[in-house]
Amino acid sequence: MLHFIDYVEPEEIPALVISHGLYGSARNWALIAKKLSQSRRVIAVDHRNHGLSPWYGTNSYENMAQDLAEVINLIGGPCDIVGHSMGGKAAMVLALTYPDLINRLCIVDIAPVLYRHDQLKFIRAMQAVDLSQIKSRADVKRQLFTKVEDELVANFLAQSLDVKSKRWRLNLHILEMEMPKILSFPKICTTFQRATLFLSGAESRYVTRDMRELIKPYFPLSIF
């Protein structure tokens, strides 16, 4: 079972499940989750091989969708779900394979397509950190910044190191091995016939206008 943070508040409306992106965790969404929990119950999960959730030998979207289904069945579905990046793909596969568990779906800055960009450089940057020299998170950031040019990305990655135990809260080996699956999207011959919002910035490279024709066959009621 995935680890998750339960922001329990009013339960008159369906719970909202938040599904984070690659190299992230439930904690990344804490501010947003706390704000939303003023009016509804919010569940923020740690995906497999991320955060405080168990480590497994696979990281496929079919597996991740099953993980999400287990959480929703535990808390009592159906629910609404927001998924970002990798978590957005997991949420899409959940909707396509377990549609009765979802009322409404919001997908943030990702599409059900194969991406060609390289995410392995970030794994290698984390693997290159000399954990024996780590005494604070600032030490982690300094080492990462020698490999990752974007300071915001380096700060984001640094959040996944448990400084006290000098251990990454990411299963870097499995994420590296499963990267082709993470960048891809499984072949699924079903549709999700409920409201779906695809949310992305005007200059997003992850959800471009030409991708809408690839999204509609899966999510015919989608809006952008």
Side-chain angles (χ1 to χ4, degrees):
M1 174 67 70
L2 297 182
H3 171 266
F4 58 86
I5 302 174
D6 192 347
Y7 301 85
V8 181
E9 285 294 340
E11 298 186 37
E12 290 78 14
I13 58 177
L16 172 68
V17 173
I18 298 177
S19 173
H20 68 78
L22 181 62
Y23 308 138
S25 72
R27 295 190 305 166
N28 301 146
W29 288 80
L31 291 177
I32 294 173
K34 287 177 181 178
K35 183 69 174 179
L36 293 173
S37 70
Q38 295 175 10
S39 60
R40 66 187 307 175
R41 184 181 187 185
V42 178
I43 306 291
V45 305
D46 283 340
H47 279 297
R48 60 172 51 210
N49 300 312
H50 291 72
L52 299 178
S53 281
W55 286 11
Y56 296 96
T58 64
N59 210 85
S60 73
Y61 288 117
E62 294 89 344
N63 293 142
M64 296 173 70
Q66 179 63 46
D67 294 339
L68 289 172
E70 290 178 1
V71 172
I72 294 171
N73 284 324
L74 177 68
I75 66 175
C79 69
D80 299 334
I81 187 164
V82 172
H84 170 244
S85 186
M86 177 193 74
K89 284 188 172 182
M92 285 188 273
V93 174
L94 173 70
L96 294 169
T97 53
Y98 299 94
D100 293 339
L101 295 182
I102 300 178
N103 288 316
R104 294 178 299 176
L105 181 64
C106 177
I107 303 300
V108 182
D109 212 29
I110 201 74
V113 300
L114 168 66
Y115 290 93
R116 302 290 184 183
H117 57 273
D118 179 20
Q119 293 285 351
L120 292 177
K121 60 184 179 181
F122 302 121
I123 289 182
R124 292 172 185 137
M126 287 183 278
Q127 290 172 331
V129 171
D130 183 354
L131 298 178
S132 68
Q133 301 300 311
I134 297 299
K135 295 182 179 179
S136 68
R137 199 164 303 281
D139 295 332
V140 185
K141 295 176 184 178
R142 277 193 292 270
Q143 288 199 42
L144 284 171
F145 198 49
T146 65
K147 302 287 185 180
V148 180
E149 296 179 356
D150 190 320
E151 186 174 3
L152 290 177
V153 174
N155 289 340
F156 168 71
L157 297 176
Q159 294 177 33
S160 287
L161 185 73
D162 184 331
V163 174
K164 185 176 181 179
S165 65
K166 298 187 178 183
R167 175 181 178 272
W168 288 102
R169 292 195 183 102
L170 296 167
N171 190 343
L172 297 175
H173 172 68
I174 293 301
L175 293 176
E176 180 179 23
M177 186 175 70
E178 294 282 270
M179 191 58 65
K181 294 178 184 177
I182 294 171
L183 294 177
S184 186
F185 191 79
K187 294 181 179 179
I188 302 175
C189 299
T190 59
T191 59
F192 181 65
Q193 298 288 339
R194 294 182 185 174
T196 305
L197 172 64
F198 281 83
L199 184 63
S200 58
E203 297 182 5
S204 172
R205 296 174 297 166
Y206 291 91
V207 184
T208 56
R209 294 189 67 87
D210 61 312
M211 291 180 184
R212 295 181 181 182
E213 295 305 312
L214 302 174
I215 292 171
K216 282 291 186 178
Y218 290 117
F219 303 97
L221 301 181
S222 58
I223 56 176
F224 303 90

